[in-house]
Amino acid sequence: MKAIQNKIIGFCLCLFMVSINIQAQKKKAISTPVSSYTIEGTITGLADGTEVKLIPGATHSSELPVAETTLKDGKFTFAGKLNEPRFFYVVFGKNKGNISVMVENSKIQITAAGKVSDQEGERISFKDVVVTGSKSNDYYKKETAFREELEKDYAAYHTKDSDELSKLIGAARRDKNTKAVDSLQNLPVWKKFEADEKAFFTKVEKTTLEVISKHKATWWGPFFMMTNFSYFTPEQKPLYDQFSEAAKKSYYGQILDKDLNPKSLIGTSIANFSLKDKDGKPYSAKDIVAGKKYILVDFWASWCGPCRKEIPNLKTAYAEYGPKGFEILSVSIDKDEKAWQKALGQENMQWHNLLDDDKVSKAFNVKAIPATYLVDSKGVIIGDNLRGAELEAKLKELLKS
């Protein structure tokens, strides 16, 4: 009898151990993170054979695809591994259209309806875009939902009347009719537009800073800085300084650091380039600097406060050292040509002002503005980020009479 009891106890213990082992395996399966990702896309409206590329975003650089495929029966698939969530663009055709997605190690599905425009260039637009399976993407959408409200605000103050008035002011400025410009800008409609525009950009700044500061302890903070700023100025450095060490050492934290503190180009030679002025007339750098001893290539933008605060110092240096062989070439990185034209009218800079084509600023590795490069007559960069008293001292040293 005792032997039978021992067998029963032993059998029960075996069952108990098997049960524990099964539960442990289940817990292990639940807690073990997925070590790779798959992206499965279903896109309607596009032809089979359409190129599909997975390209990193939020880096402020031109990135190569990490994966490429083509549509087949309206479907595509990508697979890979990541150390942490990353922002990507799923690009269709030859950069004709894209869908953004936060990719993490999980099974992600993208559905959308694509449409190829009839216009030249055949741009691809998407509607009914749905991304599932990525918690990071869900969080990203939640934290950037404020942009939809900003888009509505922007559309609200850009009325038909203000747009027409803007065209008239632009035409008068091109005709150098300062009397007409002043008259149009004093109209109540334009005054209201300027007040609404100021309020809009104040709101943009407030909401942007809030989302960045909210995430100062994680990689999301640097990431949101990269996605909310096209270029950086010294004003953004305190934003970076507030981040935790973990945030600074993250993938986006390191990219941000390089953007805020770009590598010096002193000792390198610049290539000749050609850009257009406010009248659309092309000028080459070679022609502008011919016969000059030293040239300051100044990258700026209408929206850059520190850039515009520096203009009076540039005027002082130009007046003092221009007759001695010093030249300034200002290159604006403005995307909005109207804003650039408006700033030129306000600042009245008496040297060549050209509009960047994205290529020139990239050739100079411009990541933050204002960015200045002092170049000698041989085209070699001998100084960078010289402003105010530092520029004055350098020119005094170089152009001793």
Side-chain angles (χ1 to χ4, degrees):
M1 185 69 178
K2 190 173 182 181
I4 294 173
Q5 286 178 336
N6 287 338
K7 285 182 179 180
I8 292 172
I9 292 171
F11 179 67
C12 289
L13 284 171
C14 285
L15 286 177
F16 179 67
M17 293 305 294
V18 169
S19 176
I20 290 175
N21 189 48
I22 290 171
Q23 293 300 319
Q25 290 296 324
K26 284 183 177 179
K27 287 182 179 179
K28 185 177 181 182
I30 292 172
S31 61
T32 301
V34 178
S35 60
S36 61
Y37 67 82
T38 58
I39 304 173
E40 296 178 349
T42 301
I43 310 296
T44 62
L46 301 184
D48 278 3
T50 299
E51 294 179 357
V52 189
K53 300 176 183 179
L54 188 62
I55 301 178
T59 64
H60 289 192
S61 299
S62 297
E63 299 284 351
L64 296 173
V66 298
E68 299 181 50
T69 187
T70 56
L71 279 182
K72 184 176 181 181
D73 297 327
K75 299 181 183 297
F76 70 88
T77 302
F78 291 123
K81 295 181 180 181
L82 291 171
N83 293 326
E84 62 185 4
R86 298 273 180 88
F87 185 78
F88 285 90
Y89 290 106
V90 180
V91 179
F92 296 82
K94 297 186 183 299
N95 296 322
K96 300 299 183 181
N98 67 73
I99 295 173
S100 63
V101 57
M102 289 295 304
V103 179
E104 59 185 24
N105 290 328
S106 63
K107 187 175 181 179
I108 302 168
Q109 293 184 323
I110 301 175
T111 60
K115 182 180 180 181
V116 181
S117 70
D118 297 329
Q119 299 177 353
E120 186 178 354
E122 298 182 337
R123 296 294 302 170
I124 300 173
S125 60
F126 297 95
K127 66 177 183 177
D128 302 328
V129 178
V130 177
V131 178
T132 58
S134 170
K135 292 181 180 179
S136 298
N137 194 75
D138 294 340
Y139 187 74
Y140 172 69
K141 287 182 65 177
K142 173 178 167 290
E143 293 299 293
T144 56
F146 67 89
R147 291 177 181 172
E148 294 180 7
E149 184 179 343
L150 290 175
E151 288 176 2
K152 292 178 181 177
D153 291 344
Y154 182 85
Y157 80 86
H158 279 81
T159 64
K160 183 178 179 181
D161 289 342
S162 65
D163 288 345
E164 288 296 324
L165 192 53
S166 178
K167 291 178 182 177
L168 292 173
I169 292 172
R173 188 173 286 122
R174 285 192 294 274
D175 294 337
K176 298 183 179 179
N177 189 342
T178 54
K179 186 176 181 180
V181 171
D182 292 340
S183 177
L184 292 167
Q185 288 182 336
N186 282 320
L187 291 174
V189 174
W190 188 253
K191 291 291 185 183
K192 183 180 184 307
F193 172 80
E194 288 187 316
D196 290 343
E197 185 173 59
K198 183 178 180 181
F200 170 75
F201 282 108
T202 299
K203 185 176 181 179
V204 169
E205 182 179 15
K206 180 176 180 293
T207 52
T208 298
L209 295 181
E210 284 176 349
V211 75
I212 293 170
S213 296
K214 178 182 176 180
H215 299 90
K216 60 186 178 183
T218 69
W219 63 267
W220 283 103
F223 168 74
F224 281 127
M225 276 194 73
M226 295 297 295
T227 55
N228 282 283
F229 290 94
S230 297
Y231 278 90
F232 297 106
T233 72
E235 290 180 339
Q236 280 85 56
K237 288 193 176 184
L239 279 178
Y240 172 80
D241 293 337
Q242 72 177 328
F243 293 137
S244 68
E245 285 305 308
K248 290 179 179 178
K249 291 178 181 177
S250 69
Y251 173 76
Y252 291 109
Q254 293 180 58
I255 292 176
L256 176 60
D257 183 27
K258 290 179 181 178
D259 268 19
L260 284 169
N261 304 288
K263 184 179 179 181
S264 175
L265 295 178
I266 293 176
T268 63
S269 298
I270 67 169
N272 186 35
F273 57 86
S274 179
L275 295 171
K276 294 180 180 180
D277 70 359
K278 62 184 179 63
D279 299 317
K281 183 179 179 181
Y283 282 92
S284 71
K286 183 178 179 181
D287 293 336
I288 292 173
V289 305
K292 301 295 181 178
K293 295 180 181 177
Y294 299 98
I295 308 94
L296 188 75
V297 183
D298 164 47
F299 289 92
W300 72 296
S302 64
W303 45 262
C304 172
C307 300
R308 299 187 68 163
K309 288 178 183 177
E310 184 60 23
I311 291 174
N313 293 329
L314 294 180
K315 289 181 177 179
T316 299
Y318 193 65
E320 175 70 20
Y321 298 100
K324 299 178 181 179
F326 173 59
E327 183 60 75
I328 299 176
L329 171 55
S330 287
V331 179
S332 169
I333 65 167
D334 273 287
K335 303 297 182 184
D336 184 345
E337 187 171 345
K338 292 180 181 177
W340 173 56
Q341 294 270 6
K342 179 180 177 182
L344 289 181
Q346 294 169 336
E347 299 294 354
N348 191 31
M349 296 179 278
Q350 299 300 308
W351 52 82
H352 284 285
N353 281 270
L354 307 178
L355 187 62
D356 187 33
D357 58 1
D358 284 338
K359 296 178 183 178
V360 175
S361 57
K362 286 180 180 177
F364 277 85
N365 195 32
V366 175
K367 299 291 186 180
I369 54 173
T372 60
Y373 301 88
L374 188 62
V375 183
D376 66 17
S377 59
K378 296 179 181 178
V380 177
I381 298 174
I382 61 171
D384 59 7
N385 292 318
L386 294 171
R387 293 190 284 275
E390 289 184 355
L391 176 62
E392 181 81 14
K394 188 66 175 178
L395 291 175
K396 185 176 182 180
E397 173 195 334
L398 295 170
L399 295 169
K400 294 176 182 178
S401 54

